[in-house]
Amino acid sequence: SAAIRLKQVNPEFSIVVLEKGAEVGAHILSGAVVDPIGIDRLLPEWRQDADHPFKTEVKDDQFLLLGPAGSIRLPNFAMPPLMNNHGNYIVSLGNVCRWLATKAEELGVEIYPGFAAAEVLYNDEGAVIGVATGDMGIEKNGEPGPNYARGMALLGKYTLIGEGVRGSIAKQLIAKYELSKDREPQKFGIGIK
């Protein structure tokens, strides 16, 4: 979605997306309930696309208090407004990512599946100037094999890191720039559908 938006802002931008999975969405394992407001703003005509992944609209919300003896249904009116999912869609996030990738490519975004960013590249002043992909064809013993290929350096005016929760590149940046200093630790939650 970020690549799409950047191309919408300036179609002349050259935008490259590295995807560590074999295809876009391969590492997105979960489903989600999605409010379509973001898609409405990004791609206002998305509903006319027969291939869009937003097929199952939420029709009913039920909230249960679970305990050792069973469950008790909580009344919907007692729940905060953000728990009301009417008008939202139940989706596979992998399918959403694959669909967005086709939209990005239609705009001219270059997507390279199977290439993970392995390290951040810096200039002499310590500013981020790009990333490098990992070397390919390394044998189990760590030595280059017959299909060895050195990783690529991808340099850009801007580098957007969007690798998910505390990914390896994000950890490098957090450490280098002390981004977690004097900050609350990250919080995680588990949702069950």
Side-chain angles (χ1 to χ4, degrees):
S1 60
I4 289 170
R5 185 65 189 130
L6 288 170
K7 272 295 196 183
Q8 290 170 337
V9 168
N10 187 341
E12 299 304 313
F13 283 160
S14 176
I15 299 173
V16 173
V17 174
L18 295 180
E19 168 56 56
K20 71 178 175 180
E23 66 175 344
V24 173
H27 286 262
I28 308 291
L29 301 177
S30 69
V33 177
V34 173
D35 183 337
I37 191 169
I39 296 297
D40 287 338
R41 290 185 179 158
L42 184 67
L43 300 168
E45 316 255 326
W46 70 268
R47 287 177 174 84
Q48 283 75 47
D49 180 353
D51 294 330
H52 73 74
F54 299 90
K55 305 288 187 201
T56 307
E57 192 171 346
V58 174
K59 301 288 186 196
D60 186 39
D61 289 316
Q62 294 186 19
F63 301 95
L64 304 174
L65 178 63
L66 305 177
S71 64
I72 299 171
R73 184 166 178 195
L74 301 173
N76 287 32
F77 71 85
M79 302 306 290
L82 71 95
M83 302 300 280
N84 180 358
N85 287 298
H86 291 276
N88 295 343
Y89 291 87
I90 302 166
V91 297
S92 158
L93 289 179
N95 289 342
V96 171
C97 289
R98 279 184 279 282
W99 177 72
L100 286 172
T102 64
K103 298 300 177 193
E105 287 178 323
E106 288 170 7
L107 293 171
V109 173
E110 297 177 56
I111 300 177
Y112 295 105
F115 288 92
E119 66 177 299
V120 181
L121 302 175
Y122 305 93
N123 66 14
D124 292 338
E125 290 81 40
V128 174
I129 58 170
V131 295
T133 63
D135 295 344
M136 306 287 267
I138 303 291
E139 299 290 316
K140 290 181 183 180
N141 64 3
E143 298 292 321
N147 297 323
Y148 175 77
R150 181 85 173 107
M152 298 180 297
L154 295 160
L155 306 178
K157 185 174 182 179
Y158 302 102
T159 302
L160 174 66
I161 306 298
E163 61 180 347
V165 180
R166 308 274 292 192
S168 58
I169 297 295
K171 285 180 183 176
Q172 291 177 34
L173 292 167
I174 289 167
K176 179 171 179 67
Y177 296 113
E178 297 181 329
L179 299 175
S180 61
K181 184 178 180 180
D182 300 325
R183 302 288 185 265
E184 291 289 323
Q186 191 167 2
K187 295 174 179 65
F188 297 92
I190 296 176
I192 301 172
K193 294 191 296 262

